[in-house]
Structure formats: C-alpha cells, structure tokens
Amino acid sequence: MGLATFEATANIAVAKYWGKRDEKLILPKEGSLSFTMDDQLKTRTSVLFSPALKEDEFWLNGKKMDMADKDTAERLQQIEIIRQKAGIKDKAKIVSLNCFPTAAGFASSAAGLAALACAASKAAGLDLSTEELSILARLGSGSACRSVLGGFVEWKKGIKPDGSDSYAEQIAPASRWPELRNVIAIGDSGKKKVSSRAGMKQTVATSALYPARLAYMPKLITDMKAAVAAKDFAKFGELTMRESSNMHAVMLDTWPPIMYLNDVSKRIIYAVHDYNAAAGGIVAAYTFDAGPNAHVYTTEERVPALRKMLSEIEGVEKTMVCKVGEGPKQLKEGHLLSPDGTVLKHRFDEASGKIIIE
Ligand code: 2P0
C-alpha cells in the first residue's frame, strides 16, 4: 500500500473498436482485436494513496490537470472504484508521462489508462486479476482494456448491462509471432480535430452504413484470429487493410463527416498496394486509427525495404518500427513522485528514448 509505478504500452487494433452501447461504462457495440506494442510507445504512471493528501491530484506530462474538468473526471472514474474495492478513503496523487506524441492517432489514452489501472490498484494494496484490471482500464478509455495484456489481444464485447463480461483476453503471447513488426509512418503529429469519443458517438447516431459494419465484425474477428493462429500473413494483411477501410468508410458516412485520413495517408495506401503487387502477394498491411498516421504491419525481413519505401513518400516525416510488446510492467525505481507526495521533476528525452528524473 502506498506508492506504485507501472509502464504500459499502446496497442494498435486490427479489428477496431468504433462505437459504444453504453457511454458511461464504456461498453462496445462489437469486439475488437489488437497487438500491444513495445515500449517505444509507452506511458509511465506513478500513483500514491496517502492519508496525508487533501485531495485527488492528476499530473499529465508535467502539468497539473483540472479535476473539475468533466473529461478528466470521467477518465479517472476507476480511482473511486479502486478505493471502494480496497476499503480505503485516502486521496490519490497520480503522475503520468506519455513517451510519444499525444492525440495524433496514437492510442496514448490506452497506454495511460492501462498503466493507471495497474499502478492505482497496486498502490491501494490490491492484487487484481487481468480481467479486473482490464475492466478498470476500460472505464477510462475503451481501447485501454486491451493494453493491460501483451501480445495479440481480444476485447470481448460482453452482453451484460453492468459490463462485468466486457474485458480483454490474450489470444496469443508476443512470442507467437516474434517476427511481426509495425512500421509507423508519421506525417502529421498535430492534435486531431474530432476526438474518438465524440466521433464514434456521432457515427452510431448517424451512419447508415454502421449496421452493416456491426454485422460483418463477428466473422472478421473469427477469421482474423484464425489467420494469426496460422501466422498466415497474406490473409491477416488483407483482413487488416479491408477492416481499416471499413472503419474509415463509416467515419466518412457519419454526419457531419469525419475524415482522419489525409493525402499522405492516401499516398501510403496506394504505395502499399504497389509494394505488395511487386512482391507478388500481401507482405505489408496498413491500418489507420483516428488519425492520419499509418501503422504498416509486416514481418522482420521486410522492414528495411518497406521503411525506405514509406520514408520516401511525400509528406512522411518520420518512420519508426515497433515489435509486439509483453504488456504492462511494474517498476521498482524511476517513480515520478516520492512517497511523501512530492512530484519529481521529470521529462521524456525523445533522442535517447529515456525518461529523465531530476
Ligand atoms: C481502436 N480506436 O480499436 C479504435 C480504432 C480509434 C480507432 O479505440 O471513448 O480512445 O475512450 O473509449 O478507446 C480510440 O477510442 O475511446 C479507439 P473511448 P478510445 O483502437
């Protein structure tokens, strides 16, 4: 009980979550599948529960957040549940640092809220199952429920109104497909115009194509799991690209329309198809989230050529290569605050990829 620090990483979905059946409990209309990424896309979060604290405090990327803000309060609803589970009344101090560009289509909220579930429950003296951690993380952000596990992960939509059966499970560990890579092509790291939360709500309310998407997803998930189990990249790749397009189609069909893909994204789509045609089969597969950056899944031996091809596309500013990651880990040192509640001066040094604590 007291202070705990965890790191969790982003996950990039291949069968995507876009739409809720319950806004408060963050229950999805359909299941989804993702790979958890390695620690190049990570959040470190330290949590302290202490009777000495007068109020809950949340620091994100070095800035104290306004706890009266509705969005912040919603995202932190798991803290009160953790207090109830632990039977404590202590206030919490949360310090979180994202080590990658926030709000640019990277699922920074997923890594952050998964790290929060792990750190806060441990700091409160709880030893929770991955199902319980996944449910807590889900209450902060849907996709976060998948980041409490490493490898290939399924978020089961569940059918119960209380959400107790809506959590993530590992389908295969990272070691199942160790040669799988995500080559990320970053063209625009600016803040997105429509948040995922607002965008998906609008899609559910207005898109005439959305029911067709929901009807196709159960088979997609079955087929995708089979393709991963067989390590059948060609099948996995085709399903991944078609699914990305399906989600972006319902986004465009939303009223008013939502468009996360830009001209750079479209150039990448065409270039990957040309690349696959030259290779004589599907060896690279793009997927785009709620942003214009491409996540191009491929296998290790293809990375140098694919990375070169992507970096030469007009508008691509940076590429990075991620492996599949192992999931959250607890840190015994490198806390972002001290046991007396002092927030330590900290920053992410992009050049070295390290967190500097002074
Ligand atoms: C996903 N996305 O499956 C999909 C693909 C974006 C596109 O999950 O409202 O930040 O906090 O539950 O999890 C982004 O949505 O939304 C997302 P909330 P979240 O990764």
Side-chain angles (χ1 to χ4, degrees):
M1 168 87 169
L3 175 64
T5 297
F6 273 76
E7 282 182 357
T9 59
N11 67 80
I12 302 301
V14 286
K16 292 166 184 298
Y17 151 57
W18 194 254
K20 298 179 179 67
R21 67 173 196 278
D22 186 308
E23 300 284 329
K24 166 99 177 118
L25 293 174
I26 314 218
L27 301 176
K29 287 273 196 186
E30 261 310 329
S32 54
L33 296 170
S34 59
F35 287 96
T36 297
M37 294 289 106
D38 68 24
D39 66 5
Q40 294 174 82
L41 298 178
K42 73 177 176 201
T43 300
R44 184 181 297 184
T45 299
S46 295
V47 178
L48 174 73
F49 280 102
S50 166
L53 297 170
K54 301 247 177 318
E55 56 183 7
D56 288 337
E57 257 183 46
F58 174 40
W59 293 69
L60 178 61
N61 299 332
K63 276 199 336 220
K64 190 175 170 184
M65 307 301 282
D66 178 9
M67 297 296 279
D69 177 72
K70 189 173 158 280
D71 187 56
T72 304
E74 270 175 22
R75 299 224 167 240
L76 297 181
Q77 57 173 321
Q78 55 170 297
I79 295 299
E80 199 47 52
I81 296 168
I82 287 171
R83 268 196 282 262
Q84 283 166 16
K85 275 184 192 278
I88 59 172
K89 292 209 158 55
D90 295 356
K91 299 295 181 194
K93 194 174 240 187
I94 302 157
V95 185
S96 195
L97 180 67
N98 287 329
C99 300
F100 48 94
T102 46
F106 284 138
S108 56
S109 63
L113 289 149
L116 178 63
C118 296
S121 56
K122 191 64 83 177
L126 297 168
D127 207 5
L128 301 181
S129 65
T130 51
E131 285 87 349
E132 290 171 295
L133 288 171
S134 182
I135 287 172
L136 286 173
R138 191 201 75 216
L139 291 168
S141 187
S143 53
C145 81
R146 299 186 306 239
S147 273
V148 303
L149 292 152
F152 184 54
V153 176
E154 177 176 16
W155 176 9
K156 295 185 175 296
K157 69 169 181 166
I159 51 168
K160 293 184 183 166
D162 69 356
S164 58
D165 57 351
S166 183
Y167 52 78
E169 281 178 356
Q170 188 184 71
I171 302 299
S175 58
R176 177 79 189 92
W177 207 346
E179 53 284 22
L180 196 70
R181 295 290 182 277
N182 172 8
V183 183
I184 308 173
I186 303 166
D188 172 7
S189 298
K191 204 167 159 51
K192 60 192 174 202
K193 289 186 193 76
V194 183
S195 74
S196 299
R197 188 161 288 193
M200 66 174 80
K201 188 174 178 183
Q202 203 59 15
T203 300
V204 172
T206 65
S207 168
L209 298 182
Y210 189 67
R213 171 168 173 76
L214 293 180
Y216 119 107
M217 284 212 72
K219 182 169 177 340
L220 169 74
I221 287 172
T222 304
D223 292 351
M224 186 85 84
K225 281 160 72 174
V228 172
K231 292 173 68 170
D232 180 346
F233 192 90
K235 187 73 195 161
F236 163 74
E238 181 182 337
L239 292 170
T240 295
M241 292 187 279
R242 296 181 76 155
E243 156 60 359
S244 176
S245 298
N246 186 293
M247 181 182 71
H248 288 276
V250 300
M251 289 165 164
L252 183 60
D253 187 49
T254 299
W255 190 257
I258 303 167
M259 283 174 268
Y260 292 117
L261 304 183
N262 62 18
D263 288 348
V264 184
S265 321
K266 289 172 198 165
R267 280 197 282 274
I268 292 170
I269 290 172
Y270 285 123
V272 169
H273 283 282
D274 288 347
Y275 182 82
N276 284 333
I282 295 175
V283 294
Y286 51 77
T287 185
F288 296 85
D289 285 335
N293 296 326
H295 296 268
V296 187
Y297 280 107
T298 192
T299 44
E300 190 179 10
E301 77 280 8
R302 301 273 174 186
V303 166
L306 179 67
R307 192 174 191 182
K308 180 169 183 294
M309 184 280 279
L310 290 170
S311 60
E312 286 169 356
I313 292 171
E314 187 191 340
V316 172
E317 288 163 11
K318 191 180 160 188
T319 57
M320 59 193 287
V321 182
C322 272
K323 295 183 189 176
V324 179
E326 305 284 348
K329 56 176 192 244
Q330 185 170 14
L331 305 186
K332 294 293 173 205
E333 49 193 41
H335 303 292
L336 303 178
L337 78 171
S338 58
D340 68 3
T342 308
V343 178
L344 302 170
K345 200 162 174 232
H346 60 276
R347 68 183 166 86
F348 174 56
D349 179 48
E350 209 157 341
S352 66
K354 291 204 164 76
I355 294 173
I356 315 285
I357 299 169
E358 287 159 22

